[in-house]
Amino acid sequence: MNTNNIELMKGSVNVTIHKNYLKDDDSTYAKVKRTTAGMNNVIATILKNSTLFDKATLVAAQMLFKEAILELLQQGISVSLFELGTLYPSAQGNIESSNPSVEEIPSLTLGFTPSEESLKAIKKTDISMAQLEDTSPVINQIEDLSTHQTDCTVTNGMPVRITGRRLKIAGEDEKAGLFFAPQKEDGSIDKAESDWIRIEETKFFKNTSTYLELILPSNLVSGSKYTLVLRTASGRGNRVNKTLRSLIFEKTLTVA
C-alpha cells in the first residue's frame, strides 16, 4: 500500500426510494447509496485517534493481517474479523444427486455475518438524505444517421438515432410515444397537443432502453423548429407500467 494515499474519509448515508414493481400498489423500498472506505482510510482514522503507532507500522500490520486471513480462508476456516463479523465459506448452487461426489459439490463462495456490535454501530448512523428514484427518460444525444451530425439538426424523411436512458417506448395509451411538437416564434409549444406529430410504430427499427432508431416522417416541415416529447409506460424488463413517464427535450430540433 502506498502510504501517500492514506487520508481521512467523511461519509454520509443517502437513501434512494424505489417503487416496488413486484406489487401493484404504491409500496416502495429503500436502497442505501454505498460509500466504501479502504484500509488506507481505516489507517488514517486510527492515526487521527491514536499516536501509539506510526503510518508505516500500521501499513505493515494491515498487509500481515490480510495474508494471514487469506491463508486461513484457503484452509476453509471461518474468520472473525476483529469481532465485527464472521467471514465464512459456503457452497452455492443445487446438487442433483442425493449422494454426490466431491466433484459434484458446487464451488465455494464467501458469506459474511455481522456481529451484534457491528449491527449496533450501524443503527446509530444518521440518514442525511432520502430522495425518490429518478425514473424519467433521459436523452443524451440525437444523431442524424444520414449526415452523422449531432447538433440537433435532422433531415426530413431520413433515419435518426436517439441515445440515452429509459427511452424504450411502451404503453397502450395513445398519449404514449415520441412526438415532434412544432415551436411557436417564442419557442413555446401547443399545450393542447393538437398540432403534435406522433411517430408511428412502423417508423421505429430500434426501440430499446438505451437508444431509439427511427425514420423521420415526411410530414415534418423543412426549416421548422420542433420540441421533442417522449412519453412511455415502459418499466423494468418487459414490464409495462400503468402510468406514463415524460420527457420534454430541452434542446430545439431543426428539420433540414
Side-chain angles (χ1 to χ4, degrees), residues 21-77:
Y21 292 101
L22 297 178
K23 295 184 178 181
D24 293 328
D25 55 20
D26 293 328
S27 63
T28 58
Y29 64 95
K31 290 183 70 175
V32 174
K33 183 178 179 181
R34 185 180 301 172
T35 302
T36 303
M39 282 306 301
N40 58 323
N41 307 120
V42 174
I43 290 173
T45 305
I46 294 172
L47 293 171
K48 180 188 70 144
N49 298 324
S50 174
T51 58
L52 291 177
F53 305 98
D54 59 32
K55 188 187 299 185
T57 300
L58 290 172
V59 170
Q62 179 265 329
M63 296 175 65
L64 291 172
F65 273 111
K66 175 184 174 181
E67 293 300 324
I69 290 169
L70 290 175
E71 183 177 332
L72 290 168
L73 289 174
Q74 288 174 3
Q75 299 175 47
I77 299 173

